[in-house]
Amino acid sequence: MKLVKYILRKIIPFFLISLFFVALILNLVDLFMNITKYMEMKAALASVLKVMVLYIPKTIWYAAPIAFLFSITYILSDLYSSNEMEALFASGISLLRFVFPVFIFAIIGSIGMFFWEDKLVVDTLKQKKILQNELLGTTQSNNNSNVVVQSNNGSLIYKVQKYYDSEKLIENCTFIFRDDDKNLLAIITADSGIWDDEENRWILAGANQYSYQNKEIKLDGLETKYLEQLTDSYEIFKRANLDVESEKLKDAKIYINHLKKAGLPYYEPQSVYFKKFAFPFIFLIAALLAVGVTGRTRKNVLLISLFLSIGSVVLFYVFQMCTMVLAKTQFLTPMMGAWLPDIVFLIISIFLLKYQRN
């Protein structure tokens, strides 16, 4: 228990300090990239500060793995330099036993990063982008007009004259239902439709159904079997393509399911969706890499260890970028594109730990 307290009391405070400064640097970089435009648009100081505050959760999410890597590398390098690690090894305490609490903390941190993003980062980042675009004069509307969308591999076609994103409302709608052979079954027209989050479908107003019978189209009563098929999310009508990385898991999944049903390309958004699950484990991988490469030399321990640790994480990010591109171009499956970097660097980390000084 004393060893647990000892290593965590050394690493956690240093990690929190590092996290603060790395997150601050990222926030300042975003500020300085846009400060000229802020001045040109005469943006209010309070609004600019609000943008920075809204960006804090995302900067923490970005900064956490780097700060944790730096903290472990610095503390272990210091212990190696002062020969405290040699004393631990001589007393029969292995490296893995000594740093085991750090790995437990890293696992908790990885899980925390996952929920931190989905529950907080997505919302604050979306608010930050909206406010920043307003200040920079680049506001874009997701409202749309004259939209035609296929679903269920062409068995259902939506035709909408107007879509209003803030109300999740569609106007002057036509829904065409076909069988698997693309033969017409029915047509429903409606004055408007509004998305119901509880039922996950469109609720129509002023609707009429026309059925195709005996080679004639006749006015008919609304049938539930058709209304229940109107479950494609409001996201499909937006003017801009949905940025899966900036959406919660639930909304991202709905969007990807729509792309699949409509027969549209979905590899890229699905790989980004799986990345939401895979990327938080960089927190654990950073810890494994830091322990695995630190203290491999007896001279300039801190400098060389930092170089190796940061270099390893940079390679991880580069490799992840490559696998995501391969997933986008369908050379890899979306799941493999997201998870392969974690798997490869986990194996590398275990190999480094196996041959680390003990």
Side-chain angles (χ1 to χ4, degrees), residues 122-187:
V122 167
D123 290 332
T124 55
L125 184 62
K126 191 175 292 185
Q127 294 175 47
K128 181 253 185 186
K129 287 182 176 180
I130 293 173
L131 178 57
Q132 191 173 50
N133 287 336
E134 289 177 357
L135 296 178
L136 298 175
T138 57
T139 304
Q140 293 182 347
S141 173
N142 283 326
N143 294 346
N144 210 347
S145 59
N146 298 321
V147 186
V148 177
V149 179
Q150 288 191 75
S151 180
N152 295 332
N153 294 317
S155 296
L156 171 58
I157 299 174
Y158 295 80
K159 184 180 179 182
V160 174
Q161 187 172 354
K162 290 287 185 180
Y163 167 69
Y164 301 96
D165 188 55
S166 58
E167 296 89 0
K168 300 177 184 176
L169 177 72
I170 53 178
E171 289 184 348
N172 297 327
C173 330
T174 302
F175 310 92
I176 302 172
F177 299 87
R178 303 190 296 182
D179 60 21
D180 293 336
D181 296 323
K182 305 299 185 290
N183 297 313
L184 180 64
L185 295 175
I187 299 173

Side-chain angles (χ1 to χ4, degrees), residues 260-279:
K260 289 181 177 180
K261 289 198 295 183
L264 298 173
Y266 64 88
Y267 265 59
E268 182 178 7
Q270 190 172 50
S271 61
V272 175
Y273 174 78
F274 287 130
K275 183 184 172 184
K276 285 177 171 285
F277 294 92
F279 184 79

Side-chain angles (χ1 to χ4, degrees), residues 51 70 73 77 168 207 211 222 224 240 268 275 304 307 310 349:
V51 169
F70 180 76
T73 303
S77 296
K168 300 177 184 176
S211 299
L222 290 173
T224 304
E268 182 178 7
K275 183 184 172 184
I304 294 175
F307 175 78
I310 295 174
S349 300

Side-chain angles (χ1 to χ4, degrees), residues 164-232:
Y164 301 96
D165 188 55
S166 58
E167 296 89 0
K168 300 177 184 176
L169 177 72
I170 53 178
E171 289 184 348
N172 297 327
C173 330
T174 302
F175 310 92
I176 302 172
F177 299 87
R178 303 190 296 182
D179 60 21
D180 293 336
D181 296 323
K182 305 299 185 290
N183 297 313
L184 180 64
L185 295 175
I187 299 173
I188 293 179
T189 61
D191 295 332
S192 64
I194 191 165
W195 178 255
D196 190 316
D197 284 317
E198 293 184 359
E199 296 188 21
N200 285 323
R201 69 181 183 91
W202 292 98
I203 305 300
L204 305 181
N208 294 298
Q209 178 178 318
Y210 300 88
S211 299
Y212 185 68
Q213 300 174 356
N214 300 321
K215 297 183 179 182
E216 294 183 1
I217 297 178
K218 298 181 180 180
L219 182 64
D220 203 353
L222 290 173
E223 295 184 59
T224 304
K225 67 178 182 179
Y226 293 125
L227 295 176
E228 290 178 346
Q229 294 182 42
L230 304 178
T231 57
D232 291 282

Side-chain angles (χ1 to χ4, degrees), residues 334-347:
M335 181 173 288
M336 188 60 69
W339 282 101
L340 186 59
D342 286 22
I343 295 170
V344 170
F345 276 80
L346 181 62
I347 294 171

